[in-house]
Amino acid sequence: MKIRNILFIAVLVISFVSCKDKKKNGHTAPDDTYSLETDDIENSEIEKEVEVPQIKVEVASKSGSQVSGTVVFTEINNVVKMMAEFENLKPNTVHAIHLHDTADCSSHDAKSSGGHWNPTSNKHGKWGDDQGYHRGDIGNFTADENGKATVTFETDEWCISCQDTTRTINGRGIIIHQGQDDFKTQPTGDAGTRIACGALL
């Protein structure tokens, strides 16, 4: 009986020493292994900043007006969003806003920006009209009683970062007109004098 007890104790001692040796030789417990794997995953994850294509435009007054403003174009997931803020407009008045062919606002009347941007050679019309519209036919907006306005617009028919000449807005001009677009008169919408211009560069 005593021999059995001695053998049993000897086996326990050998097992204990063996476990300690394994730890010394680099073998780790399950909890330690999990900790190391987690650290490896965290170290392998590198956060990369994604640069969002954007164009910011300062709008200058033309044709003797005092209109000014800022327009920001941002492209996210192949959709371009436009956010514009204008001031010194005629209060409570409807104005047309279009993209024009070139980013040239050098002339006093902004006619240096050319006609409406129309890379698909469609007739002028309201955006989304089945009968056709220009890629630059943004539409109309109304100034408030203080002559200020905020205009938002978005579309997947424009781009900033692509090389498609029928979609890229780079190199265009943005024009504010004195009057409203009637969406009928060809090819301008009879929106009147160009009272502000900004270059998309």
Side-chain angles (χ1 to χ4, degrees):
M1 188 71 176
K2 289 182 178 180
I3 294 173
R4 282 186 178 180
N5 289 340
I6 293 170
L7 286 174
F8 179 73
I9 292 169
V11 168
L12 286 176
V13 171
I14 292 168
S15 297
F16 178 75
V17 171
S18 176
C19 287
K20 288 187 72 176
D21 287 341
K22 282 183 179 179
K23 275 196 154 187
K24 287 180 180 179
N25 291 329
H27 295 285
T28 54
D31 287 346
D32 292 333
T33 302
Y34 176 78
S35 176
L36 287 172
E37 288 177 353
T38 303
D39 290 342
D40 289 341
I41 291 170
E42 289 176 354
N43 291 334
S44 66
E45 290 177 355
I46 301 172
E47 293 184 5
K48 294 181 180 179
E49 290 186 9
V50 178
E51 186 175 344
V52 177
Q54 187 177 87
I55 300 174
K56 186 175 182 180
V57 181
E58 297 297 328
V59 173
S61 58
K62 294 292 176 180
S63 303
S65 82
Q66 298 299 314
V67 179
S68 62
T70 302
V71 188
V72 178
F73 298 88
T74 306
E75 183 178 349
I76 300 175
N77 295 327
N78 299 316
V79 173
V80 174
K81 296 184 179 183
M82 182 190 85
M83 170 66 77
E85 293 183 341
F86 304 115
E87 58 185 8
N88 300 322
L89 295 158
K90 186 176 180 181
N92 303 311
T93 302
V94 179
H95 297 274
I97 180 171
H98 303 122
L99 290 184
H100 283 237
D101 274 333
T102 61
D104 184 353
C105 297
S106 59
S107 65
H108 71 92
D109 55 6
K111 288 186 177 180
S112 52
S113 64
H116 291 184
W117 177 44
N118 184 25
T120 53
S121 300
N122 286 334
K123 72 176 196 176
H124 171 66
K126 189 175 183 178
W127 186 273
D129 193 328
D130 291 338
Q131 300 301 312
Y133 55 95
H134 300 159
R135 284 274 165 87
D137 288 341
I138 300 171
N140 294 320
F141 67 92
T142 304
D144 65 16
E145 65 274 12
N146 298 311
K148 296 183 178 182
T150 297
V151 185
T152 59
F153 182 82
E154 66 177 64
T155 177
D156 61 1
E157 294 188 40
W158 295 352
C159 71
I160 295 174
S161 58
C162 74
Q163 301 300 314
D164 185 346
T165 56
T166 67
R167 295 178 59 230
T168 181
I169 60 175
N170 302 68
R172 314 300 165 201
I174 188 162
I175 297 291
I176 310 302
H177 291 267
Q178 187 174 37
Q180 66 180 358
D181 190 330
D182 63 14
F183 304 121
K184 296 177 181 178
T185 304
Q186 301 299 321
T188 64
D190 195 27
T193 304
R194 305 177 186 192
I195 57 174
C197 181
L200 279 65
L201 299 173

